[in-house]
């Protein structure tokens, strides 16, 4: 996963996108800028709704992102903005 990857790879959108499509919770180790990237976050939550907890706060109110997470795993709703 991204946990042990070089910082430059954690900032590389192409690398992060490929990784979160296979292991959504790798979003936790992505650069903060990519945790704000809707395309990256959507890919992560579609793989596992639990990845929502690692998304930037700005996306926790995004209906499309939250719905994708909840559709994948209902319990992901607990991470959405109230």
């Amino acid at each position: 996963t991204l946990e042990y990857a070089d910082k430059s790879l954690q900032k590389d959108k192409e690398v992060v996108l490929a990784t979160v499509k296979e292991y959504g919770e790798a979003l936790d180790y992505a650069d903060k800028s990519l945790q704000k990237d809707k395309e990256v976050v959507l890919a992560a939550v579609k793989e596992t709704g639990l990845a929502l907890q690692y998304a930037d706060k700005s996306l926790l109110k995004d209906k499309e992102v939250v719905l994708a997470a909840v559709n994948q795993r209902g319990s992901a709703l607990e991470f959405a903005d109230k």
Side-chain angles (χ1 to χ4, degrees):
T1 71
L2 292 171
E3 182 177 6
Y4 303 107
D6 186 77
K7 296 283 184 204
S8 65
L9 294 176
Q10 293 174 348
K11 292 180 180 182
D12 186 305
K13 184 174 178 175
E14 187 178 343
V15 170
V16 171
L17 201 50
T19 304
V20 299
K21 284 180 179 179
E22 297 297 319
Y23 180 65
E25 290 188 77
L27 184 63
D28 186 27
Y29 304 104
D31 186 72
K32 298 286 184 206
S33 65
L34 294 176
Q35 292 174 347
K36 294 179 182 179
D37 186 297
K38 187 172 178 176
E39 181 184 6
V40 171
V41 172
L42 269 174
V45 300
K46 286 178 179 178
E47 196 284 317
T48 177
L50 298 178
L52 187 62
Q53 66 189 304
Y54 306 117
D56 184 77
K57 286 184 178 185
S58 64
L59 291 174
L60 300 182
K61 294 179 180 181
D62 186 291
K63 185 176 180 178
E64 184 181 5
V65 170
V66 172
L67 275 176
V70 171
N71 282 336
Q72 200 288 321
R73 184 172 301 218
S75 62
L77 189 59
E78 71 178 284
F79 302 114
D81 191 52
K82 305 279 186 261

